[in-house]
Amino acid sequence: SYEVTQPPSVSVSPGQTASIICSGDKLGDKYVSWYQQKPGQSPVVVIYQDTKRPSGIPERFSGSNSGNTATLTISGTQALDEAAYYCQAWDSSVIFGGGTKLTVL
Amino acid sequence: QVQLQESGPGLVKPSQTLSLTCTVSGVSTSSGDYFWSWIRQSPGKGLEWIGYIYYSGGADYNPSLRSRVTISVETSKNQFSLKLSSVTAADTAVYYCARATSTSRASRYFDLWGRGTLVAVSS
């Protein structure tokens, strides 16, 4: 079955750029969405269809997808961006990555 | 304001059937614009898609759970439901209902989530 892989954790300093990757075989041929989940809260979509940002999501969130890797980029990272981030794609069914805990130091 | 709210027992005994309902407000479950989904998250773990249903009753399930899952929709009550049979401790999780866009399958994503409800499987 198809799988996507994320690093368990990423650290970034406030104001710097955070990059969270999601890897899978020929992932660039699929659409990827990204979800932010803060402790005790439900996930919120921050990027869908690789690069699109829902209304209300800050412009500092952006996405890309090519080859075997999709990337969520957070520019000018703020303390409130500290959360778990999950990538999601479709194969024979919905696939979620294992999640990446973003720490803003 | 569109909202989804899960409800159901917080404790289920092993081998029994877990039953949850999601009540939708602010949008009709008979809308052809969305699929109505269930997703779960085991304590401290990641997200697992369970399945979804369209207003017409057509459903799709995670192959790993398909033999135990039934999702149904009751448009007159603006609700949809989950039944998961023969539960074990491994089914202990926070269960979310969520709305998926009815774009092409490959581009579908979950644009709205309920707050989630914790279901523990224990005797």
Side-chain angles (χ1 to χ4, degrees), chain A residues 7-66:
Chain A
S9 62
V10 168
S11 298
V12 65
S13 300
Q16 300 303 302
T17 296
S19 296
I20 298 173
I21 64 170
C22 177
S23 301
D25 185 46
K26 298 180 181 178
L27 186 58
D29 292 343
K30 305 179 186 298
Y31 279 118
V32 173
S33 300
W34 290 93
Y35 301 86
Q36 176 194 68
Q37 185 179 33
K38 296 182 178 180
Q41 297 185 18
S42 307
V44 173
V45 59
V46 294
I47 293 291
Y48 65 97
Q49 293 172 11
D50 293 342
T51 61
K52 299 178 181 178
R53 215 171 354 96
S55 60
I57 300 301
E59 291 185 8
R60 62 180 182 273
F61 288 87
S62 63
S64 64
N65 185 19
S66 179

Side-chain angles (χ1 to χ4, degrees), chain A residues 35 37 42 48 86 90 92, chain B residues 41 96 105 108-110 114:
Chain A
Y35 301 86
Q37 185 179 33
S42 307
Y48 65 97
Y86 295 90
W90 279 88
S92 56
Chain B
Q41 185 170 34
Y96 296 98
R105 191 170 185 265
R108 203 163 289 157
Y109 64 98
F110 303 97

Side-chain angles (χ1 to χ4, degrees), chain B residues 64-83:
Chain B
S64 69
L65 297 169
R66 182 174 288 135
S67 63
R68 298 195 291 132
V69 173
T70 301
I71 297 176
S72 58
V73 62
E74 193 158 3
T75 54
S76 63
K77 294 184 178 180
N78 222 31
Q79 296 176 332
F80 62 103
S81 299
L82 167 70
K83 291 189 186 299

Side-chain angles (χ1 to χ4, degrees), chain A residues 89-105:
Chain A
W90 279 88
D91 188 63
S92 56
S93 68
V94 177
I95 307 296
F96 285 102
T100 298
K101 174 69 169 73
L102 176 68
T103 301
V104 182
L105 299 169

